[in-house]
Amino acid sequence: MLPVLPAAGRLSGVARRTPLERNDRLSAATGAQVWLKREDLQVGRSYKLRGAYNLLAQLDAAERAAGAVCASAGNHGQGVAYACRQLGIRGRVHVPSTTPRQKRERIAALGGSAVELVVGGDTYDEAAAAAAAYAEQTGATVVPAFDDERTIAGQGTVAVEIMEQLGRAPDVVVVPVGGGGLLAGVGSWLAAEHPGVRIVGVERRARPA
């Protein structure tokens, strides 16, 4: 089973235990009891810290000495930056030039002197290629935003907190889908521990051209 509970232990005292709040407007509109897990109040304003920290906290001494690197459009980079600073790991975050200035500033502020921010290229794919090249040259550990079991397990801790805060298994859990790490973590843990819960992944509908 995906090691979500050990990840929750590593994150204790690092990630915020964000509130689970009932939303009156959505509850009235749907005829259901709708609760929102407020990961927008997390460090970096998203759940991304959970996966980044869980991965980095498991590196051995040699891996920590070699440093860490990631590519990000903004949110993942903030999580990696904060985790590197907390763990004393030298980090490097590659972002494309399209990343909003506010997010770049937050990466720099959260990482402090532990993290180097590199802005280059016009797309995420270009930033990812630069991060991979840096890792190849230096031996730094690449911290994926979603495509690693350690990242996924960390993001799955959201489900553990929901269960503890709600006090029972919900009927349905609606999970946003980007790269799929949050959905994989939450879905894997709930499927193993509470198989009766229906899991729905949702994506933003693209605006028409």
Side-chain angles (χ1 to χ4, degrees):
M1 185 174 70
L2 195 69
V4 173
L5 292 182
R10 294 184 193 99
L11 287 164
S12 179
V14 178
R16 293 174 183 161
R17 186 180 174 87
T18 55
L20 182 69
E21 299 178 348
R22 185 182 183 277
N23 186 283
D24 293 337
R25 182 179 64 83
L26 292 177
S27 295
T30 61
Q33 297 293 315
V34 177
W35 296 77
L36 302 180
K37 180 63 169 159
R38 296 293 305 278
E39 284 294 286
D40 59 308
L41 301 177
Q42 186 61 262
V43 175
R45 297 181 62 83
S46 83
Y47 59 87
K48 298 286 189 174
L49 163 66
R50 296 175 181 269
Y53 187 92
N54 186 56
L55 187 156
L56 289 167
Q58 295 181 70
L59 299 185
D60 61 29
E63 290 169 325
R64 291 189 182 207
V69 63
C70 78
S72 174
N75 290 341
H76 178 56
Q78 292 178 64
V80 170
Y82 184 80
C84 282
R85 187 173 186 175
Q86 292 295 308
L87 292 165
I89 296 173
R90 187 180 74 257
R92 183 176 170 113
V93 179
H94 286 262
V95 299
S97 59
T98 52
T99 300
R101 183 180 65 180
Q102 181 185 30
K103 291 190 175 183
R104 284 184 270 166
E105 291 175 348
R106 287 301 297 158
I107 291 170
L110 290 169
S113 61
V115 173
E116 178 184 4
L117 175 64
V118 180
V119 182
D122 296 323
T123 66
Y124 173 83
D125 287 345
E126 290 177 291
Y134 177 80
E136 181 69 24
Q137 294 164 5
T138 65
T141 295
V142 176
V143 185
F146 49 85
D147 194 16
D148 187 288
E149 184 176 288
R150 295 164 293 182
T151 301
I152 292 169
Q155 294 175 358
T157 60
V158 170
V160 178
E161 289 185 15
I162 289 172
M163 291 298 306
E164 292 172 350
Q165 292 168 311
L166 191 61
R168 58 176 174 80
D171 297 318
V172 180
V173 174
V174 179
V175 186
V177 181
L182 180 64
L183 179 61
V186 168
S188 295
W189 188 79
L190 286 173
E193 298 293 328
H194 302 280
V197 176
R198 182 184 175 212
I199 302 163
V200 179
V202 295
E203 291 184 306
R204 178 175 64 90
R205 177 179 294 173
R207 294 180 180 178

